[in-house]
Amino acid sequence: QVTLWLKKMYGNQPIPQYEVNARTVDILYELAECNEARDKDVSLLIEDMKQKAAEYEAETNYLQGILTETLDLSLSSLSGKGVSDLNVLVNSAMALETKDTSLTSFFCAINDMTSELYATESKNREMELELSDIRNKLTAALILEKRLEEDLKKTEELLEVEKAKADSRARNLKFLKDKSEDLKIRIKAAEEQLAATGLDQSLTHEALVSLSE
């Protein structure tokens, strides 16, 4: 079946060489089925279009017969303006997609298009309002973002200043701590020196303050 389909597809031309195995045959078989199904659908569509063309032609002949028999009117007997007006009428009916050229069909089609136009304009106005709202929100967001960036910059600058102050305080605290330790050592050394020289404890500052009190 695959071979017959390939011969049908290529006609008088030679079939290209391909590796024959289960996979390639399965793929070609699926392609053949899809191709035949598509050809069948196209054939049905062609037959349907031929049938519609025949129906349109029959209806045209019928209408032309009515015009000729009842009004003795044909396209060849129309004036140039008449042919032009008829073309305008036909083109208008095709543009409006009416089933015929009666006034009722034209009015219905125009009303439908007018309603559709109003609906579209209403939808456009809604979209414009939404777009305007989005623009306003976007503008507010950009302003807020700029303000936040400025606040962040000021905060960072303030943190740098506070960090510098904290570093200075830390250095001062370390200096005072070291100075305090040094003074304690010197005081202790002085006390030990005084004690070694036989200083009477009743003459120390603390003893004198206690005695004074």
Side-chain angles (χ1 to χ4, degrees):
Q1 186 173 353
V2 170
T3 302
L4 292 176
W5 175 71
L6 289 174
K7 289 181 179 180
K8 178 182 176 182
M9 291 297 296
Y10 285 94
N12 296 328
Q13 298 179 1
I15 299 175
Q17 296 293 328
Y18 65 93
E19 182 179 353
V20 180
N21 54 46
R23 177 173 174 76
T24 56
V25 171
D26 288 342
I27 294 174
L28 291 173
Y29 181 75
E30 292 180 2
L31 289 175
E33 285 189 331
C34 292
N35 184 262
E36 290 177 357
R38 185 192 62 181
D39 290 344
K40 185 177 180 181
D41 292 339
V42 172
S43 299
L44 292 175
L45 181 61
I46 292 174
E47 291 298 326
D48 182 64
M49 294 180 68
K50 287 182 179 180
Q51 183 177 354
K52 287 183 178 179
E55 292 175 357
Y56 291 152
E57 185 176 1
E59 186 176 359
T60 301
N61 294 332
Y62 172 73
L63 294 175
Q64 285 182 349
I66 292 177
L67 291 175
T68 303
E69 293 176 2
T70 58
L71 300 177
D72 192 21
L73 184 64
S74 64
L75 289 176
S76 60
S77 63
L78 291 176
S79 63
K81 188 176 184 306
V83 173
S84 176
D85 292 341
L86 184 60
N87 288 331
V88 171
L89 185 64
V90 171
N91 292 331
S92 300
M94 294 178 65
L96 294 173
E97 298 181 354
T98 60
K99 64 179 181 179
D100 51 40
T101 57
S102 64
L103 288 177
T104 302
S105 297
F106 276 112
F107 286 147
C108 290
I110 291 173
N111 288 335
D112 291 341
M113 292 189 69
T114 302
S115 299
E116 184 178 353
L117 176 62
Y118 288 154
T120 303
E121 290 178 347
S122 177
K123 186 66 175 179
N124 288 340
R125 284 193 294 269
E126 292 178 0
M127 293 180 67
E128 288 177 356
L129 291 176
E130 292 179 0
L131 181 60
S132 177
D133 184 54
I134 291 174
R135 286 175 178 170
N136 292 335
K137 290 181 178 179
L138 179 60
T139 302
L142 292 175
I143 293 174
L144 178 60
E145 181 183 6
K146 185 177 181 181
R147 187 178 302 166
L148 290 174
E149 289 178 352
E150 293 176 353
D151 292 342
L152 179 61
K153 184 178 179 180
K154 291 179 180 178
T155 303
E156 290 176 349
E157 293 175 352
L158 182 60
L159 286 175
E160 290 293 331
V161 174
E162 292 298 327
K163 184 176 181 298
K165 291 180 179 179
D167 292 341
S168 177
R169 292 193 188 101
R171 288 192 298 269
N172 292 336
L173 180 61
K174 185 177 183 303
F175 172 78
L176 293 175
K177 185 177 180 181
D178 294 341
K179 191 68 175 177
S180 176
E181 292 294 331
D182 180 62
L183 289 175
K184 286 180 180 179
I185 294 172
R186 292 173 63 183
I187 290 172
K188 185 177 180 180
E191 289 176 347
E192 291 176 351
Q193 184 179 1
L194 289 173
T197 58
L199 175 67
D200 188 355
Q201 293 296 323
S202 62
L203 298 178
T204 62
H205 176 73
E206 293 180 356
L208 293 175
V209 171
S210 299
L211 181 60
S212 173
E213 292 177 351

